[in-house]
Amino acid sequence: MATFLGINLFGLFGQLLVGLINGSFYALLSLGLAIIFGLLKIINFAQGAMYMLGAFAAWMVLNYLGINYWLALIVVPLAVGAVGILMERLLIRPIAQEDHLYSLLLTFGIALMLQGTFTHVFGSSGMAYAIPEALQGGFKLPFMYLPAYRAWIVVASILVCGATWWMIEKTRLGAYLRAGTENAQLMQAFGINVPLMVTLTFGFGVGLAGFAGVMAAPVYSVSPDMGSNLLIIVFAIVVIGGMGSIGGAILTGLGMGVVEGLTKYFYPEASSTVIFLVMVIVLLIKPAGLFGKEA
Amino acid sequence: MKTMNKTLLAVAVAATTALAGFVQAGPVSDDKVKIGVLADMGGVYADICGPGCVTAIEMAVEDFGGTVLGMPIEVVSADDQLKPDVGSAKVRQWVENEQVDAVGGLVSSAVVGAATKVLTDNKKIALISTAASNAFTTSACSPYNVHWTYNVAAMANGTVKPIVQSGKKKWFFITADYAFGHALEGVATEVIVENGGEVVGGVRAPLGTTDFSSYVLQAQASGADVVALANAGGDTVNALKTAAEFGLTQTADVAGLLVFTPNAQAMDPATAGGMTLTTGFYWDYDDATRAWSTRFKERHGAIPAMGHAGAYSMTMHYLKAIEAAGTDESDAVMAKMKEMKPDDFFARNATLRADGRMVHDMYYVQIKTADERRDADDIFKVLDVIPGDTAYAPMLPECNFVKS
């Protein structure tokens, strides 16, 4: 086996690839948050609960309605997005003018209620969800075995992240959105329905969490606390990437996956803290985040 | 805009960081026997001993007839929130102000460690059903501790020994990085070495790790015959899912050192089928276990985990001992509990040792594959019954309270 400086290179390649896979998953998760947090300036602590809701919804539509994984990938994000729209219209909108702390506490409360309800109904152990047949098995690479589902995570994540980035940064719709969040009154004077745009954007961001939930169901434990475990990491990623930067969130997600992967290889005990260490360093050196614009 | 972004950022960062004695008169004190149930009502262990433990203990009280020595039996319960300070404060309030005589349930080893201290100080009995640590009858033993269902030593002996003896000598550990995981890894390592095996590597993964793929790759690279999961709950489920996905289960055995029935039900049979483990109870073992488990399921909505059955069995034994002793005074009741042989659908060939350890038959089981299952509750195949003496470590002389 090839070694360099006493490090098993094949092992290292494996860890790098696994890091990239996890990173693409982080990118997918942070995307929705980056839109809601970065563009709409709403601190949505229910984003993790929405991810959990997506995974459970995938399980429910399969077991109650017979809807398979592929259909769930379309149906579930729409349903979770609809929940997000209701949440924005009925709960967040009335306190939109208040301090950011209010929406933070509100969404945190919603997250706890959802998590508690799911624990009550489904128990704390979680549900089993099988990998869809077409994605079972994997590829034998020279340095590791790559499961087909993990390859699919990378492909799906690149497609969704790429399309979302393009939509927000390169299309007219995206330009309206960015302008609307910068100066709502001016945009409204131009005849753009800003409140509706905010609602739909929030719904879209939440729907992305639902999508990530469906993606996660076959490989991670589908349990009520799955979202709260990840949410804090994802928030850190968005903060590192820089507020308001969609591309920044995507690239940081990928990067942090690799950083975490290497930590798991060299010093596993630190793997749950390394991202926060990076966050502290980045904030000290570049308070706006790696890709953030100091407006 | 600049200030707004800064405030927003500050708030988000702050929030993100933040989250990471009574007088005794007559044979029964206060004219009632009061049992407190301290368990995890809504956290990660809620399924293995939460509301289900309350149900099991209430069933025991009802089956006993609701009264003992002519006095009513009362059950109260509380959520420990998996926090030692919350749990021990509740227990203190119970025993000092609310006339609680014994506390049952008791899940997380950290909470139980704090709770048993308060109970021992007040000479009240701890009926430990679900905690894993063997400390309660060894390094932290007490004349008022009763540890009923299983402990880490029984799990390691039951699961590890047969696998090492079958010729699979090289082991790799994926261990939860906190006291429980370290303890489980420690006892399992002893069993491996004693039986001629060796530990070729291991990783300590933080509690609540979502993605185990990195650790699975390391396990694969180690060339181990067996990968032992010294963790519990969602960590075990996630680790096993990933092990199957990366093909590890085809080249090595994966041994879950602590798996409860609800965890096994949460795993896809395609990945978990064939895995062997040790349990203190299986609901579908024979007519007696089925009869009780069916009643439990009617009330609780799910089949019992081992801690539920244990909580029922030990509450029954506790109440019988009060009746036999003619008092609910703790020393007399403890003496009777240790004198009388526990014998019911749960406790088979059982004795309650002087150190408070209940030694009973354990079960070496295999998780059924999808084809072998009748329904969602049909999850284990019992391969072997492990006699209590083989499963549990011998008593330490200093914990022999009867002698001293």
Side-chain angles (χ1 to χ4, degrees), chain B residues 312-389:
Chain B
Y312 175 95
S313 169
M314 72 195 303
T315 306
M316 269 299 193
H317 192 67
Y318 169 69
L319 294 173
K320 283 179 192 164
I322 292 179
E323 195 162 61
T327 172
D328 69 349
E329 192 272 319
S330 296
D331 290 308
V333 174
M334 283 301 298
K336 270 288 172 226
M337 281 181 87
K338 286 172 183 173
E339 184 189 315
M340 293 162 45
K341 272 203 177 310
D343 185 22
D344 58 20
F345 71 93
F346 175 87
R348 314 270 175 118
N349 303 314
T351 43
L352 180 59
R353 290 194 316 212
D355 60 356
R357 176 69 250 166
M358 204 280 274
V359 170
H360 65 116
D361 284 355
M362 301 292 286
Y363 306 89
Y364 185 54
V365 302
Q366 185 171 39
I367 299 184
K368 287 186 174 178
T369 60
D371 296 340
E372 296 170 319
R373 296 186 187 193
R374 290 189 310 272
D375 53 43
D377 290 338
D378 184 24
I379 41 177
F380 291 157
K381 190 159 57 183
V382 177
L383 299 179
D384 204 3
V385 176
I386 311 160
D389 292 338

Side-chain angles (χ1 to χ4, degrees), chain B residues 245-295:
Chain B
E245 205 196 340
F246 279 80
L248 178 66
T249 44
Q250 282 152 25
T251 54
D253 279 13
V254 178
L257 296 186
L258 180 54
V259 178
F260 294 91
T261 38
N263 308 138
Q265 279 181 307
M267 298 182 206
D268 178 26
T271 56
M275 186 166 97
T276 57
L277 57 107
T278 304
T279 180
F281 173 78
Y282 180 50
W283 76 274
D284 200 15
Y285 178 64
D286 64 11
D287 287 341
T289 57
R290 273 188 290 273
W292 183 81
S293 302
T294 310
R295 285 203 295 135

Side-chain angles (χ1 to χ4, degrees), chain A:
Chain A
M1 248 184 243
T3 54
F4 175 70
L5 294 176
I7 298 165
N8 176 350
L9 280 185
F10 274 15
L12 196 63
F13 286 151
Q15 297 299 334
L16 280 173
L17 184 59
V18 162
L20 274 176
I21 296 169
N22 283 339
S24 63
F25 191 68
Y26 281 154
L28 193 58
L29 269 170
S30 40
L31 188 62
L33 204 62
I35 291 170
I36 294 172
F37 181 51
L39 289 181
L40 305 183
K41 321 289 183 213
I42 298 168
I43 305 176
N44 181 20
F45 258 89
Q47 192 77 357
M50 294 297 148
Y51 161 74
M52 181 269 291
L53 193 64
F56 266 97
W59 182 89
M60 284 191 271
V61 296
L62 176 70
N63 285 277
Y64 301 153
L65 306 173
I67 293 178
N68 70 15
Y69 172 83
W70 302 105
L71 265 172
L73 272 182
I74 299 163
V75 176
V76 169
L78 289 175
V80 174
V83 171
I85 286 175
L86 284 176
M87 202 167 100
E88 202 276 337
R89 261 279 128 93
L90 302 175
L91 301 169
I92 297 175
R93 177 69 54 85
I95 57 163
Q97 300 312 315
E98 307 288 340
D99 191 88
H100 297 303
L101 267 176
Y102 286 83
S103 64
L104 183 155
L105 290 174
L106 175 84
T107 51
F108 187 50
I110 294 171
L112 289 179
M113 279 160 59
L114 273 173
Q115 201 175 323
T117 308
F118 274 81
T119 308
H120 182 73
V121 177
F122 294 100
S124 59
S125 304
M127 323 307 280
Y129 193 96
I131 295 178
E133 223 159 282
L135 293 173
Q136 282 174 3
F139 314 101
K140 192 102 191 70
L141 306 182
F143 52 92
M144 70 176 277
Y145 177 85
L146 175 66
Y149 194 84
R150 300 277 167 158
W152 160 241
I153 288 182
V154 177
V155 173
S157 166
I158 290 173
L159 284 177
V160 171
C161 290
T164 307
W165 176 83
W166 179 78
M167 203 168 74
I168 290 173
E169 301 286 341
K170 299 289 167 201
T171 65
R172 181 170 290 258
L173 186 72
Y176 285 160
L177 176 64
R178 283 177 286 135
T181 53
E182 286 288 323
N183 194 332
Q185 275 168 336
L186 191 65
M187 281 311 279
Q188 240 160 338
F190 284 134
I192 306 286
N193 187 344
V194 175
L196 177 71
M197 203 164 69
V198 168
T199 304
L200 290 177
T201 309
F202 189 86
F204 180 73
V206 166
L208 281 173
F211 181 79
V214 184
M215 291 296 294
V219 281
Y220 300 141
S221 156
V222 180
S223 65
D225 62 342
M226 64 189 288
S228 56
N229 287 347
L230 271 177
L231 177 72
I232 302 173
I233 295 179
V234 175
F235 253 111
I237 289 172
V238 174
V239 169
I240 296 169
M243 299 247 320
S245 168
I246 304 296
I250 297 170
L251 290 176
T252 310
L254 279 171
M256 286 306 111
V258 173
V259 167
E260 198 191 58
L262 291 177
T263 314
K264 280 177 175 170
Y265 187 59
F266 290 110
Y267 189 60
E269 286 87 340
S271 61
S272 58
T273 27
V274 66
I275 288 178
F276 303 104
L277 190 70
V278 174
M279 181 175 89
V280 169
I281 296 170
V282 167
L283 286 178
L284 283 175
I285 297 170
K286 204 164 179 293
L290 290 178
F291 302 89
K293 290 158 247 176
E294 197 75 64

Side-chain angles (χ1 to χ4, degrees), chain B residues 1-47:
Chain B
M1 203 61 222
K2 187 173 170 180
T3 20
M4 187 185 173
N5 263 349
K6 274 212 169 133
T7 330
L8 189 61
L9 191 66
V11 169
V13 170
T16 306
T17 321
L19 286 182
F22 57 92
V23 183
Q24 196 166 315
V28 173
S29 56
D30 323 296
D31 293 338
K32 68 186 169 207
V33 169
K34 198 164 171 183
I35 304 172
V37 187
L38 186 71
D40 174 22
M41 300 303 179
V44 285
Y45 297 145
D47 279 2

